[in-house]
Amino acid sequence: KAGVTQTPRYLIKTRGQQVTLSCSPISGHRSVSWYQQTPGQGLQFLFEYFSETQRNKGNFPGRFSGRQFSNSRSEMNVSTLELGDSALYLCASSSMGYEQYFGPGTRLTVT
Amino acid sequence: AQKITQTQPGMFVQEKEAVTLDCTYDTSDQSYGLFWYKQPSSGEMIFLIYQGSYDEQNATEGRYSLNFQKARKSANLVISASQLGDSAMYFCAMRGLYSGGGADGLTFGKGTHLIIQP
């Protein structure tokens, strides 16, 4: 079974721009979660989607948004990028259990 | 609110020795899950092991075992017979579990950088 895939793997954007990251979960997994990893703040939960509905949300500003499609694929959008948004963005999927399986991440650099 | 504390920023261990990575947690949830993940330099988070708060037996997965001491709020990872490929960052994490299904997002510790020496 294929793992979680994320595209693109690397991205360079300029302050003020917006960016969309994509995540395809493991086949059959209906829950997709997003996390941000930075050297300063570590790993932080952004949000979780289940059956196209946001089920949980972390403590991030409204510039960070997401959505999930009927095939469980998910996208995350960050508007008005700031330098501090430079991070590794990780997507994780899960089925009925509580374990989350992560993708390789998208490394975003904001200049 | 949940909190995970990993007190070992870095560890050097000789190949083939056993390793214990420390993790303590704090939560007001009655039902929760504890997890360990491995993150090599490539960046991908690899799931290692899971322990539910109501599980009476310690979880084991191959060379990995989780030493769960609920009263002490401790969830240490034990790696038996360490290998060079075990060198990586290791994160302890937890999430509150809902009675009707579903769970919180994962709360992670700061991690332990494990280096296995030949």
Side-chain angles (χ1 to χ4, degrees):
Chain A
K1 195 181 267 192
V4 178
T5 58
Q6 291 186 245
T7 56
R9 292 292 311 279
Y10 302 90
L11 205 50
I12 300 175
K13 289 286 188 179
T14 304
R15 267 181 304 174
Q17 288 185 316
Q18 74 164 16
V19 67
T20 299
L21 312 181
S22 180
C23 171
S24 292
I26 293 170
S27 177
H29 286 195
R30 293 166 62 190
S31 167
V32 174
S33 297
W34 290 88
Y35 294 84
Q36 180 197 65
Q37 186 176 24
T38 60
Q41 298 300 315
L43 282 147
Q44 294 183 284
F45 170 68
L46 281 155
F47 30 65
E48 179 195 10
Y49 285 87
F50 180 82
S51 293
E52 303 178 63
T53 301
Q54 188 180 90
R55 186 159 70 173
N56 274 312
K57 189 177 187 307
N59 189 24
F60 276 81
R63 299 185 298 107
F64 292 82
S65 63
R67 60 177 175 168
Q68 187 180 34
F69 301 95
S70 58
N71 61 357
S72 295
R73 190 177 71 85
S74 177
E75 288 182 346
M76 189 192 98
N77 184 274
V78 187
S79 62
T80 319
L81 284 166
E82 301 176 0
L83 293 178
D85 297 333
S86 294
L88 179 66
Y89 289 89
L90 292 160
C91 165
S93 76
S94 59
S95 59
M96 300 305 294
Y98 297 113
E99 301 90 349
Q100 291 192 326
Y101 297 91
F102 284 79
T106 294
R107 191 166 294 279
L108 171 65
T109 301
V110 181
T111 62
Chain B
Q2 298 161 350
K3 186 176 180 181
I4 295 282
T5 302
Q6 295 181 252
T7 57
Q8 306 152 309
M11 286 185 72
F12 288 88
V13 173
Q14 288 297 120
E15 191 180 7
K16 298 188 178 67
E17 288 184 352
V19 182
T20 297
L21 303 181
D22 295 339
C23 172
T24 57
Y25 63 91
D26 193 18
T27 181
S28 56
D29 292 323
Q30 294 300 308
S31 180
Y32 51 89
L34 295 156
F35 306 79
W36 278 90
Y37 285 88
K38 171 184 178 181
Q39 188 177 41
S41 55
S42 61
E44 184 169 357
M45 298 287 285
I46 301 168
F47 167 73
L48 296 178
I49 197 165
Y50 163 77
Q51 176 88 43
S53 58
Y54 288 105
D55 295 337
E56 294 186 356
Q57 290 202 320
N58 287 341
T60 60
E61 289 285 350
R63 294 187 299 115
Y64 305 106
S65 61
L66 198 152
N67 185 359
F68 180 45
Q69 297 186 44
K70 193 171 182 177
R72 298 179 63 181
K73 294 189 174 180
S74 167
N76 297 341
L77 176 71
V78 180
I79 307 174
S80 63
S82 58
Q83 302 170 355
L84 296 178
D86 293 333
S87 295
M89 282 292 291
Y90 287 81
F91 291 94
C92 179
M94 72 176 301
R95 60 190 319 200
L97 309 179
Y98 307 154
S99 58
D104 295 330
L106 286 166
T107 297
F108 286 87
K110 295 293 187 186
T112 295
H113 189 192
L114 176 64
I115 297 174
I116 308 299
Q117 297 174 312

